[in-house]
Amino acid sequence: MRIGHGYDVHRLTEDRKLILGGVEIPHSKGLLGHSDADVLTHAVMDALLGAAGLWDIGHAFPDTDPAYEGISSLLLLERVMEMLKNRGFSVGNVDATILAQRPKLAPYIPVMRENLARVMGVPPERVNVKATTEEALGFTGREEGMAAHAVALLEE
Ligand code: MG
């Protein structure tokens, strides 16, 4: 078994869609980034790559490459899964936390779990997603951005 950790931050801005775990969430602001800026999926990918000893998503999918502009992060996760499969890894489980002041994410979490689990080829019970505010403190509290943490266990 191999364990990995991922952490990511994206800035909130107007005129962008808010996409978390592949779910488009109605909100006045969205996350800024080269891809769809899905901060949850990015943290999950970094946890998976970390567990496999494969560095991080910045090296797997450079943001200088126009191929990744606006790309769905679920497609990037699909590629991460190919990299893992080629090296003989499968996903044991993933646990992730989104840090966001607003909006309330609870109604969308079951679909985020289903999306991530489908791409990872595991049942949704093996992909836990949580959301918390940081009590109006810091950059997430000021609604300047969102962050996500993830840990992943891989089986070899
Ligand atoms: Mg990112």
Side-chain angles (χ1 to χ4, degrees):
M1 290 189 291
R2 310 252 305 225
I3 193 165
H5 165 260
Y7 174 69
D8 195 27
V9 171
H10 281 266
R11 187 181 286 275
L12 277 164
T13 182
E14 279 161 23
D15 304 319
R16 285 278 297 188
K17 287 178 181 173
L18 176 61
I19 296 173
L20 294 169
V23 183
E24 191 179 326
I25 296 165
H27 191 47
S28 54
K29 289 178 175 180
L31 295 171
L32 185 63
H34 187 64
S35 65
D36 64 0
D38 182 339
V39 70
L40 169 63
T41 304
H42 290 189
V44 168
M45 287 191 280
D46 265 349
L48 295 169
L49 290 170
L54 291 171
W55 209 333
D56 64 24
I57 52 171
H59 288 84
F61 314 112
D63 66 6
T64 48
D65 189 336
Y68 303 121
E69 198 175 333
I71 196 170
S72 162
S73 295
L74 290 183
L75 288 178
L76 299 179
L77 178 59
E78 238 175 76
R79 296 196 197 170
V80 167
M81 290 311 300
E82 277 165 32
M83 292 165 72
L84 298 183
K85 212 172 173 183
N86 291 340
R87 287 164 178 83
F89 292 113
S90 62
V91 174
N93 75 300
V94 169
D95 185 25
T97 305
I98 305 164
L99 310 179
Q101 188 64 35
R102 279 191 323 134
K104 278 268 172 256
L105 297 175
Y108 306 101
I109 282 180
V111 189
M112 294 180 202
R113 293 179 69 176
E114 276 168 31
N115 285 346
L116 294 170
R118 184 183 65 248
V119 178
M120 286 190 273
V122 296
E125 307 87 77
R126 288 184 180 235
V127 183
N128 196 64
V129 175
K130 309 179 288 302
T132 183
T133 71
E134 292 191 292
E135 299 287 338
L137 296 168
F139 72 86
T140 71
R142 291 188 298 269
E143 300 181 42
E144 293 166 357
M146 290 184 181
H149 295 269
V151 288
L153 192 77
L154 295 183
E155 287 158 1
E156 217 166 347

